[in-house]
Amino acid sequence: MPLGLSTRLLTAGADAVAAAGRCLREGGLVGFPTETVYGLGADAANPAAIARLYQAKGRPAFNPLIAHVGDLKAAEAIARFDSQARALAQAFWPGPLTLVLPKAQNCPVADLATAGLDTVAVRIPSHNVARALLQAFGGAVVAPSANRSGHVSPTTAAHVLADLDGRVDLILDGGPVEVGVESTIIGCFDEPMLLRAGGLPREAIERLLGRALLAPQELEDTDSPHPLAPGMLASHYAPRARVRLQATDVRPGEALLAFGPAALPGLDKAVAVMNLSESGDLTEAATRLFGYLRTLDTYGAAGIAVMPVPGHGLGEAINDRLRRAAA
């Protein structure tokens, strides 16, 4: 579909999912819900469709994509699993975990989707609409977050439409997502490496492995040529307003993204206030993060002050996204 035409928005159901599967087979682009965020899907084996996806997102072509599949057998058709990777897959799939693995010998995922790497990122989502779509399509679907590149990730179909109307063929509306931050990405190299914090806490993975995960050196700028995995650009998930982290006050012209009790100096003069979780619940905060950043950005504030968020559990993923938003 050429840019500028209207996008179909369908409530998720059997007929809508079947239509979305046909759209993918015909080289189209489909926004759909996963348990983490809404994804923008394209046929993983179709380079032309993937090129359209990059164009629709305005996404750097060197940033690799995650291939979503319906089961472990389908994952084994595109990637090679060692014993550690298999243990992770069996423990946490379906769910918010992506594994970066060596490509299988006849990996069908197009080179454009892997950004020229010898590895492929793969996961099995748990959302019932995503799983139904994968079954209807019958193959692997690459699906980065369904937003313009660098914008805040979408957690509702309305967010997808706001960013990509006229740029994608169809959006399946499956309601708000459950997790609210992207999947955790583990590189299954000689030693397992945490490439991106996400919806599956590091601690759960380390308990299974019986050891600490390694961490790569953070990419310092957006010109770095080849990230190891999706979501590793230093500046990402950015609203238009300047984001100020670890805020202990609210400055003139700022909106406030709060966490827990919000009794800060300058609060009465805030352009707007939204609280990720008044009770300090990190799961609740994760589900609200991107939606609240989007909403605060609509107030035209000069900046968004962000209160400190603890770094344990899902807080690691939340703080990762906030650092990238502020970069």
Side-chain angles (χ1 to χ4, degrees), residues 172-236:
L172 287 175
D173 186 352
V177 303
E178 301 164 7
V179 176
V181 292
E182 292 86 347
S183 60
T184 301
I185 301 181
I186 300 298
C188 296
F189 309 130
D190 291 337
E191 293 290 336
M193 180 181 292
L194 179 65
L195 299 179
R196 181 178 76 184
L200 180 65
R202 170 205 296 262
E203 294 89 340
I205 299 167
E206 292 180 338
R207 278 196 300 272
L208 179 77
L209 295 174
R211 72 176 79 117
L213 291 164
L214 300 180
Q217 182 177 357
E218 187 70 47
L219 295 177
E220 295 297 334
D221 59 71
T222 57
D223 295 326
S224 298
H226 290 292
L228 291 171
M232 291 186 66
L233 296 178
S235 177
H236 208 27

Side-chain angles (χ1 to χ4, degrees), residues 249-257 264-274 296 299 301 303 305:
D249 62 351
V250 183
R251 298 173 184 172
E254 285 187 328
L256 175 66
L257 184 64
L264 303 185
L267 179 64
D268 58 328
K269 303 243 181 353
V271 173
V273 178
M274 301 194 78
L296 288 176
Y299 283 90

Side-chain angles (χ1 to χ4, degrees), residues 15 23 26 53 74 93 126 145 160 165 170 226 231 242 253 258 267:
D15 290 344
C23 183
E26 293 167 359
L53 186 153
W93 279 353
S126 64
S145 57
V160 182
D165 189 16
L170 188 153
H226 290 292
R242 175 183 48 82
L267 179 64

Side-chain angles (χ1 to χ4, degrees), residues 37-301:
V37 298
Y38 270 71
L40 179 58
D43 179 354
N46 185 336
I50 295 165
R52 280 193 59 211
L53 186 153
Y54 281 124
Q55 181 187 21
K57 281 181 62 72
R59 184 181 177 92
F62 51 74
N63 202 357
L65 305 174
I66 297 172
H68 294 67
V69 296
D71 54 38
L72 186 56
K73 182 179 179 181
E76 290 172 335
I78 65 176
R80 301 200 308 271
F81 287 73
D82 62 15
S83 59
Q84 291 184 129
R86 192 170 299 279
L88 289 169
Q90 291 171 342
F92 299 118
W93 279 353
L97 174 68
T98 293
L99 299 179
V100 177
L101 302 161
K103 289 181 180 177
Q105 184 172 5
N106 296 310
C107 177
V109 177
D111 288 341
L112 183 59
T114 60
L117 301 174
D118 293 327
T119 55
V120 61
V122 60
R123 88 174 183 101
I124 301 176
S126 64
H127 196 287
N128 60 342
V129 174
R131 294 179 64 77
L133 177 60
L134 288 166
Q135 183 175 10
F137 172 62
V141 173
V142 290
S145 57
N147 56 284
R148 297 290 295 274
S149 189
H151 289 194
V152 177
S153 295
T155 54
T156 68
H159 293 161
V160 182
L161 192 64
D163 255 18
L164 297 178
D165 189 16
R167 290 177 165 265
V168 304
D169 299 278
L170 188 153
I171 299 170
L172 287 175
D173 186 352
V177 303
E178 301 164 7
V179 176
V181 292
E182 292 86 347
S183 60
T184 301
I185 301 181
I186 300 298
C188 296
F189 309 130
D190 291 337
E191 293 290 336
M193 180 181 292
L194 179 65
L195 299 179
R196 181 178 76 184
L200 180 65
R202 170 205 296 262
E203 294 89 340
I205 299 167
E206 292 180 338
R207 278 196 300 272
L208 179 77
L209 295 174
R211 72 176 79 117
L213 291 164
L214 300 180
Q217 182 177 357
E218 187 70 47
L219 295 177
E220 295 297 334
D221 59 71
T222 57
D223 295 326
S224 298
H226 290 292
L228 291 171
M232 291 186 66
L233 296 178
S235 177
H236 208 27
Y237 316 107
R240 290 184 296 272
R242 175 183 48 82
V243 175
R244 181 168 65 89
L245 304 181
Q246 304 296 319
T248 56
D249 62 351
V250 183
R251 298 173 184 172
E254 285 187 328
L256 175 66
L257 184 64
F259 180 82
L264 303 185
L267 179 64
D268 58 328
K269 303 243 181 353
V271 173
V273 178
M274 301 194 78
N275 199 316
L276 291 171
S277 176
E278 294 182 7
S279 65
D281 184 322
L282 289 170
T283 299
E284 182 178 47
T287 65
R288 293 175 169 177
L289 175 62
F290 290 133
Y292 280 15
L293 279 173
R294 279 180 174 269
T295 300
L296 288 176
D297 211 26
T298 66
Y299 283 90

